[in-house]
Amino acid sequence: MNILHLSPRLRPGSINQLTSDLAAGLQQLGFRNTVMSPPNELVGRMTAASVKHHTSRSISLFTYFAELKRLRRVIRSSKPHIILAYTTQAACLAWRVCMELPTETRPRLISIHTTYPKHMGWTAALECSDAVVAISRHLHHELIRRGHPSNEKNIWVIPYGVNEELCHPEYTPTDTWKEQWKRTARHSDETLSICIPGAITPLHGLDDLPAILARLKQINIPVHVYIAGDTARADSRYLARLRHALESSNTAGLVSWLGARPDLRDVMSACDVILSLAKQPASHDRCILEALALGKPVAGYDHGAVGEMLDTFLPEGRVAPGDVAGIVDRLEQWHAYKPHTEEKLPFPYRLGDTIRSIAELCTAVCEGRSSNLPG
């Protein structure tokens, strides 16, 4: 079976890396894969896995017709049975090209939704796709609530799983890395070290951090927080307000700003607890999933994909959204004892689960039986 992956936003270290992981994994299962995406360092990895690559640009008003012609050429040359589209714009573009082809040679279209609907045409992407993939149960619910699709059975929930070879409870950084961390870390062995990964924006809830640290300080719980997020890309006014709030609560000394970290997995494995304070429910949070896969306790607001994952991995880590006292209580408990965490990744949160589920879906769609399979 030939599969064409259409990903206008392919880039490493993000949810859009899903394209590369699926193409390489499906290639190992015997499918023939072609990826159409902007060039970046992931292309070399895909080429090494015998995945063909065609260069494209991001889809916009100015590039639409050029990308339409480019996609026509790629479809004619690769003759795919399935097109996997990773954005709503890509799905609509692929649908337009496919409708020009004779019915008997027309590829089947599967759109993969990784974020909330943001652009015009996303409801059309739901309707024109032969099957739809949502990467969390929460996102599945939102697609149905907002889009009212005519066929809910064709929406599958397939989480973007974690590579077990890279993230597992026995994982440990190299001795060189650990020595460097000891020289730069600002906490003692008795201190509860906390990592907050992710973008520094109001949506990620860092506004609650000064109040959390102030209460922990009042009850004499020694803590130190490492914020692993790109300060250079953060809004300067928001960052200034956050720093001022920490200084006003006399907790600025309990926080280290790490910036963007390519070694985030090592940082999380070196900390005692991972914290998620997202103000709005997320469609997916890969950092939190990797932390749970590493066997790290995660405390987070119980909504969206984070609530889903905690329900599976660590129910006691769930805290009502906005409940600062609940977060403080959980951290106080975990300073006294480390909670039990999953010893191995459960289904469907392994990357192999994701690849096999997509392979099953592609086969089912080609055979015209996707609506009869469990979503």
Side-chain angles (χ1 to χ4, degrees), residues 3-22:
I3 300 178
L4 173 61
H5 303 255
L6 186 55
S7 179
R9 295 177 186 165
L10 177 67
R11 59 181 181 269
S14 74
I15 190 65
N16 293 299
Q17 188 171 332
L18 173 62
T19 307
S20 173
D21 287 336
L22 281 181

Side-chain angles (χ1 to χ4, degrees), residues 119-243:
H119 303 282
M120 292 179 61
W122 74 270
T123 53
L126 287 181
E127 296 299 333
C128 71
S129 300
D130 295 288
V132 175
V133 172
I135 62 168
S136 67
R137 294 194 304 272
H138 172 72
L139 183 55
H140 173 270
H141 171 76
E142 287 300 302
L143 291 176
I144 293 175
R145 184 179 70 85
R146 300 185 191 189
H148 307 289
S150 57
N151 188 359
E152 296 181 9
K153 291 183 179 179
N154 264 3
I155 304 181
W156 285 38
V157 178
I158 303 178
Y160 180 12
V162 167
N163 189 335
E164 289 182 282
E165 296 180 2
L166 300 178
C167 292
H168 51 85
E170 292 75 32
Y171 173 81
T172 182
T174 64
D175 291 338
T176 302
W177 189 94
K178 286 189 284 188
E179 286 298 321
Q180 184 180 11
W181 176 254
K182 286 180 181 179
R183 291 195 297 268
T184 57
R186 296 175 56 191
H187 68 274
S188 63
D189 293 338
E190 294 77 26
T191 301
L192 183 71
S193 55
I194 301 170
C195 177
I196 303 181
I200 301 174
T201 69
L203 295 180
H204 282 78
L206 290 176
D207 312 73
D208 291 344
L209 185 58
I212 291 170
L213 292 177
R215 294 194 188 191
L216 289 170
K217 191 174 181 180
Q218 286 177 351
I219 58 177
N220 297 317
I221 301 296
V223 296
H224 195 87
V225 174
Y226 296 92
I227 299 177
D230 193 350
T231 54
R233 293 189 176 185
D235 181 87
S236 57
R237 290 173 296 181
Y238 172 71
L239 190 58
R241 288 198 303 270
L242 187 56
R243 291 183 186 273

